[in-house]
Amino acid sequence: MSTVRTGVTVRVPAKVNVQLAVGAARPDGFHDLANVFLAVGLYDEVTAAPADELRVTCSGPDAGQVPLDRTNLAARAALALAERYGIDPAVHLHIAKDIPVAGGMAGGSADGAAALVACDALWGTGASRDELLAICAELGSDVPFSLVGGAALGTGRGEKLTPIEVGGTFHWVFAVADGGLSTPAVYGEFDRLTAGTEVPEPTASPALLAALRSGDPGALAGALSNDLQPAALSLRPSLAETLAAGTEAGAPAALVSGSGPTTAFLVPDAETAEKVAAALLTSGTCRNARVAASPAPGAHVI
Ligand code: C5P
């Protein structure tokens, strides 16, 4: 008996930046980074199935905020792979969305990486890992990390990855804000806030890398940093209240996730995570609070 494969589903994680060191704006407008990515266990699932033409649909509580046209990174990933292999991109991509939209958790990048892996499997292109990573880097600075998962240092604009060893499980609470923040706007605000100052070369913190290796949440709590946080807070001052609410509820460390507006709270264990999430929900300073553990695997067929 043979099985006919009608669709391929890929699960892909969100990320939090445990260090985001940002350099001065480059001539191409991007910023050189020392970006320490950690994949966390909040997942989108992208299913690729044969169709008459390229089509994107999305389900989930925030599906209405997801663009379904060719600006969607999942659509762009399918088009890029099809073009490279001379394939007709007649595919239906369905995104089951659980990662906060425009939240600084790489949800759009995750869908791009997942669609690439799903279409590669559906079409049997047999692309190498390096070819897939090169397409990811063309799609966006955070897309390669969504493919590899785990933990990695991203240099350049964040797309050049070096894997990082993680010695244990870290527990997080994510406070989801009302509405998103535009990544270019946050980088623009960073430029405005740092104008006229000497912006140092971004480098990975040895203390942070040691904390990840040790798996010790106390050590990691003391080493978290995000150079985009002042810019995100400048554009969305109410995030300071969310950060304070999580800290008051017992989270040893709080920071803005990437370009925000999601805020991330590192806690010692799963029990504290539930307690802090409940307190954040009742604080009225966020729209939702989610718990998740890290690291998580990168985009993979399920
Ligand atoms: O690479 P991606 O398309 O995700 O980047 C979105 C925007 O974020 C860029 O257009 C740029 O404004 C900003 N960005 C940046 N430096 C980076 C990554 C992103 O300035 N390293």
Side-chain angles (χ1 to χ4, degrees), residues 165-187:
E165 193 197 323
V166 180
T169 303
F170 294 105
H171 296 271
W172 297 90
V173 182
F174 295 98
V176 183
D178 248 330
L181 265 179
S182 140
T183 303
V186 175
Y187 276 101

Side-chain angles (χ1 to χ4, degrees), residues 49-133:
D52 291 338
E53 57 182 3
L54 177 61
R55 193 160 75 90
V56 180
T57 54
C58 185
S59 60
D62 297 333
Q65 297 171 46
V66 176
L68 301 178
D69 60 14
R70 290 184 178 206
T71 62
N72 189 298
L73 277 169
R76 289 178 48 206
L79 288 167
L81 187 70
E83 192 185 354
R84 189 166 295 214
Y85 284 89
I87 292 167
D88 176 11
V91 64
H92 174 200
L93 298 169
H94 180 74
I95 303 166
K97 175 139 293 286
D98 196 40
I99 302 174
V101 179
M105 298 193 74
S109 299
D111 298 343
L116 193 63
V117 172
C119 289
D120 176 55
L122 183 71
W123 296 335
T125 51
S128 69
R129 190 82 171 162
D130 281 351
E131 279 174 288
L132 293 179
L133 282 170

Side-chain angles (χ1 to χ4, degrees), residues 29-33 139-142 156-158 183-184 187:
F30 283 90
H31 297 69
D32 277 323
L33 305 177
L139 293 170
S141 307
D142 288 352
R157 59 186 167 85
T183 303
Y187 276 101

